[in-house]
Amino acid sequence: EVQLVESGGGLVKPGGSLRLSCAASGFIFSDYNMNWVRQAPGKGLEWVSYISGSSTYTHYADSVKGRFTISRDNAKNSVYLQMNSLRAEDTAVYYCARFPFPCGADCYNFDYWGQGTLVTVSS
Amino acid sequence: DIQMTQSPSSLSASVGLRVTITCRASQSISSYLNWYQQKPGKAPKLLIYAASNLQSGVPSRFSGSGSGTDFTLTISSLQPEDFATYYCQQSYNIPPAFGGGTKVELK
């Protein structure tokens, strides 16, 4: 069974840092490109960042570029999101989500999601 | 970046009714369009990928259609467990943008 379990959320002051983790199981982790997607309270979904299976490629939303860093450790079946210079508008539930592999008809849909971890940025 | 617009933002419907949600892309995305269902406090769930392909385990009352810029999600006969928020998402390129969501409520 595919499982994605996020951790590391919490309350942090504006300007602070936080590192989120996502532990994967039930599939060959290194084959899959991974993402972070967030959802502010009462709002819609916003893609945040992407990392390829071998960590060769990363992408970021403009709203977090230069402040957030995605990384992964395939030996630990985990993907991470280092968040620096946090702002109130970064307050959200952060989901870890997988792109499919192999990706026949569509490579950029999110076929499995974790349960999310809440990040609150407030003084 | 490609922008996604959903309509309506919310709707009220009764059990058994047919429901249609639309999604429009700011440029042609061929058939690279996906639909998700999200219930309160839960993660989104992939329903339909590549515009019209039902994800494994999703009931056949859900269907998707469209190509280019205009897409629809149809629930043929609304069931109590279908009351949720639905999101479209373009998978033509990165960033993979979502629509604003459509909340389906009980009438």
Side-chain angles (χ1 to χ4, degrees), chain A residues 36-49:
Chain A
W36 289 95
V37 178
R38 69 184 180 183
Q39 186 170 36
K43 302 296 185 183
L45 300 165
E46 179 189 18
W47 170 81
V48 173
S49 185

Side-chain angles (χ1 to χ4, degrees), chain B residues 37-53:
Chain B
Q37 177 193 66
Q38 187 180 33
K39 296 182 178 179
K42 300 295 187 182
K45 171 188 171 184
L46 178 65
L47 295 178
I48 289 170
Y49 64 96
S52 60
N53 296 272

Side-chain angles (χ1 to χ4, degrees), chain B residues 24-105:
Chain B
R24 175 165 288 175
S26 59
Q27 66 181 72
S28 178
I29 57 171
S30 184
S31 295
Y32 293 100
L33 190 284
N34 310 294
W35 290 98
Y36 300 84
Q37 177 193 66
Q38 187 180 33
K39 296 182 178 179
K42 300 295 187 182
K45 171 188 171 184
L46 178 65
L47 295 178
I48 289 170
Y49 64 96
S52 60
N53 296 272
L54 210 60
Q55 178 73 342
S56 176
V58 174
S60 59
R61 63 180 178 273
F62 291 93
S63 64
S65 64
S67 66
T69 61
D70 295 311
F71 301 87
T72 60
L73 171 70
T74 299
I75 310 173
S76 60
S77 176
L78 198 63
Q79 297 302 301
E81 60 268 31
D82 300 337
F83 292 97
T85 301
Y86 294 85
Y87 294 93
C88 63
Q89 175 243 328
Q90 69 84 10
S91 47
Y92 183 77
N93 61 12
I94 289 178
F98 293 89
T102 297
K103 187 173 184 180
V104 176
E105 298 176 300

Side-chain angles (χ1 to χ4, degrees), chain A residues 33-107:
Chain A
N33 303 325
M34 300 296 295
N35 301 267
W36 289 95
V37 178
R38 69 184 180 183
Q39 186 170 36
K43 302 296 185 183
L45 300 165
E46 179 189 18
W47 170 81
V48 173
S49 185
Y50 157 98
I51 187 166
S52 61
S54 58
S55 302
T56 304
Y57 302 104
T58 59
H59 297 287
Y60 298 92
D62 288 344
S63 57
V64 307
K65 203 171 291 183
R67 301 187 299 121
F68 290 11
T69 302
I70 192 170
S71 62
R72 65 190 293 161
D73 185 338
N74 287 343
K76 294 183 177 180
N77 287 350
S78 294
V79 60
Y80 308 99
L81 188 68
Q82 177 66 44
M83 304 185 296
N84 299 330
S85 303
L86 281 161
R87 306 167 179 166
E89 55 265 35
D90 296 317
T91 295
V93 174
Y94 284 74
Y95 295 101
C96 169
R98 191 184 82 166
F99 279 161
F101 177 84
C103 58
D106 192 307
C107 293

